[in-house]
Amino acid sequence: DLAQLKRQLREAIAPFDHHCLNDVPPFNQIEPSCENIAASIYNELQPHFSGSPVTLTCVEVWESPTTGVVYSP
């Protein structure tokens, strides 16, 4: 269900949106790089797919139109 996925994604990124990332866990302890942001979002979303026929394979984060990262464990 795409509506459910969109809600879960909004919840996963809400703590980061319009905040100083250096003040938001886990980035108050690790560098808020694109790689770490993508991994954090992946780890937040992954439990929602447990037991589901849908598989979360990666999270892609872009910091500019030409610079981004794909996190795939």
Side-chain angles (χ1 to χ4, degrees):
D1 182 358
L2 288 179
Q4 183 177 0
L5 177 60
K6 285 168 60 173
R7 181 182 48 77
Q8 292 165 340
L9 181 57
R10 275 193 303 270
E11 290 173 5
I13 65 172
F16 312 142
D17 195 25
H18 299 291
H19 290 90
C20 176
L21 291 179
N22 290 325
D23 297 335
V24 178
F27 307 115
N28 58 342
Q29 296 181 14
I30 63 173
E31 180 182 349
S33 65
C34 272
E35 293 85 351
N36 287 339
I37 292 169
S40 179
I41 292 170
Y42 180 94
N43 291 331
E44 179 71 26
L45 290 176
Q46 181 56 38
H48 295 286
F49 292 90
S50 178
S52 168
V54 176
T55 302
L56 179 64
T57 59
C58 68
V59 169
E60 188 171 339
V61 173
W62 289 83
E63 61 183 322
S64 76
T66 58
T67 307
V69 66
V70 175
Y71 176 79
S72 179

